[in-house]
mmCIF file of all heavy atoms in Angstrom:
data_model
loop_
_atom_site.group_PDB
_atom_site.id
_atom_site.type_symbol
_atom_site.label_atom_id
_atom_site.label_comp_id
_atom_site.label_asym_id
_atom_site.label_seq_id
_atom_site.Cartn_x
_atom_site.Cartn_y
_atom_site.Cartn_z
ATOM 1 N N VAL A 15 -52.760 -29.223 -33.934
ATOM 2 C CA VAL A 15 -54.001 -30.002 -33.866
ATOM 3 C C VAL A 15 -54.044 -31.057 -34.981
ATOM 4 O O VAL A 15 -54.403 -32.217 -34.767
ATOM 5 C CB VAL A 15 -55.226 -29.054 -33.965
ATOM 6 C CG1 VAL A 15 -56.516 -29.881 -34.051
ATOM 7 C CG2 VAL A 15 -55.264 -28.137 -32.746
ATOM 8 N N ALA A 16 -53.622 -30.627 -36.210
ATOM 9 C CA ALA A 16 -53.627 -31.576 -37.329
ATOM 10 C C ALA A 16 -52.653 -32.721 -37.089
ATOM 11 O O ALA A 16 -52.952 -33.887 -37.372
ATOM 12 C CB ALA A 16 -53.257 -30.837 -38.619
ATOM 13 N N LEU A 17 -51.479 -32.392 -36.563
ATOM 14 C CA LEU A 17 -50.475 -33.416 -36.252
ATOM 15 C C LEU A 17 -51.014 -34.399 -35.222
ATOM 16 O O LEU A 17 -50.783 -35.617 -35.305
ATOM 17 C CB LEU A 17 -49.204 -32.745 -35.749
ATOM 18 C CG LEU A 17 -48.046 -33.689 -35.365
ATOM 19 C CD1 LEU A 17 -47.610 -34.522 -36.567
ATOM 20 C CD2 LEU A 17 -46.869 -32.876 -34.822
ATOM 21 N N LEU A 18 -51.740 -33.890 -34.273
ATOM 22 C CA LEU A 18 -52.317 -34.738 -33.244
ATOM 23 C C LEU A 18 -53.328 -35.720 -33.826
ATOM 24 O O LEU A 18 -53.323 -36.919 -33.507
ATOM 25 C CB LEU A 18 -52.985 -33.860 -32.167
ATOM 26 C CG LEU A 18 -53.699 -34.591 -31.038
ATOM 27 C CD1 LEU A 18 -52.718 -35.472 -30.263
ATOM 28 C CD2 LEU A 18 -54.380 -33.589 -30.114
ATOM 29 N N VAL A 19 -54.164 -35.259 -34.731
ATOM 30 C CA VAL A 19 -55.188 -36.125 -35.349
ATOM 31 C C VAL A 19 -54.548 -37.226 -36.193
ATOM 32 O O VAL A 19 -54.920 -38.409 -36.119
ATOM 33 C CB VAL A 19 -56.144 -35.288 -36.211
ATOM 34 C CG1 VAL A 19 -57.089 -36.203 -36.999
ATOM 35 C CG2 VAL A 19 -56.930 -34.334 -35.337
ATOM 36 N N VAL A 20 -53.538 -36.858 -37.013
ATOM 37 C CA VAL A 20 -52.851 -37.834 -37.889
ATOM 38 C C VAL A 20 -52.142 -38.890 -37.052
ATOM 39 O O VAL A 20 -52.172 -40.085 -37.335
ATOM 40 C CB VAL A 20 -51.857 -37.115 -38.816
ATOM 41 C CG1 VAL A 20 -51.001 -38.138 -39.581
ATOM 42 C CG2 VAL A 20 -52.609 -36.229 -39.788
ATOM 43 N N THR A 21 -51.479 -38.429 -35.983
ATOM 44 C CA THR A 21 -50.737 -39.371 -35.118
ATOM 45 C C THR A 21 -51.666 -40.382 -34.488
ATOM 46 O O THR A 21 -51.374 -41.581 -34.411
ATOM 47 C CB THR A 21 -49.979 -38.594 -34.045
ATOM 48 O OG1 THR A 21 -49.123 -37.634 -34.670
ATOM 49 C CG2 THR A 21 -49.149 -39.539 -33.184
ATOM 50 N N LEU A 22 -52.795 -39.914 -34.013
ATOM 51 C CA LEU A 22 -53.742 -40.830 -33.391
ATOM 52 C C LEU A 22 -54.295 -41.849 -34.396
ATOM 53 O O LEU A 22 -54.472 -43.037 -34.073
ATOM 54 C CB LEU A 22 -54.900 -40.025 -32.766
ATOM 55 C CG LEU A 22 -54.547 -39.220 -31.501
ATOM 56 C CD1 LEU A 22 -55.740 -38.373 -31.066
ATOM 57 C CD2 LEU A 22 -54.121 -40.151 -30.376
ATOM 58 N N ALA A 23 -54.550 -41.398 -35.627
ATOM 59 C CA ALA A 23 -55.075 -42.302 -36.660
ATOM 60 C C ALA A 23 -54.061 -43.421 -36.971
ATOM 61 O O ALA A 23 -54.413 -44.606 -37.063
ATOM 62 C CB ALA A 23 -55.416 -41.523 -37.917
ATOM 63 N N LEU A 24 -52.789 -43.030 -37.159
ATOM 64 C CA LEU A 24 -51.738 -44.013 -37.437
ATOM 65 C C LEU A 24 -51.585 -44.981 -36.261
ATOM 66 O O LEU A 24 -51.318 -46.164 -36.464
ATOM 67 C CB LEU A 24 -50.412 -43.302 -37.719
ATOM 68 C CG LEU A 24 -50.377 -42.481 -39.021
ATOM 69 C CD1 LEU A 24 -49.060 -41.713 -39.123
ATOM 70 C CD2 LEU A 24 -50.515 -43.417 -40.226
ATOM 71 N N LEU A 25 -51.722 -44.434 -35.068
ATOM 72 C CA LEU A 25 -51.581 -45.278 -33.883
ATOM 73 C C LEU A 25 -52.667 -46.345 -33.838
ATOM 74 O O LEU A 25 -52.397 -47.521 -33.537
ATOM 75 C CB LEU A 25 -51.642 -44.404 -32.631
ATOM 76 C CG LEU A 25 -51.455 -45.132 -31.289
ATOM 77 C CD1 LEU A 25 -50.081 -45.813 -31.228
ATOM 78 C CD2 LEU A 25 -51.599 -44.135 -30.145
ATOM 79 N N PHE A 26 -53.894 -45.976 -34.164
ATOM 80 C CA PHE A 26 -54.991 -46.959 -34.163
ATOM 81 C C PHE A 26 -54.783 -48.044 -35.255
ATOM 82 O O PHE A 26 -55.047 -49.227 -35.029
ATOM 83 C CB PHE A 26 -56.322 -46.263 -34.382
ATOM 84 C CG PHE A 26 -56.801 -45.507 -33.169
ATOM 85 C CD1 PHE A 26 -57.180 -44.180 -33.259
ATOM 86 C CD2 PHE A 26 -56.832 -46.137 -31.928
ATOM 87 C CE1 PHE A 26 -57.606 -43.502 -32.136
ATOM 88 C CE2 PHE A 26 -57.272 -45.452 -30.814
ATOM 89 C CZ PHE A 26 -57.645 -44.116 -30.915
#
Side-chain angles (χ1 to χ4, degrees):
V15 174
L17 180 60
L18 177 60
V19 172
V20 172
T21 303
L22 289 175
L24 292 175
L25 182 61
F26 286 128

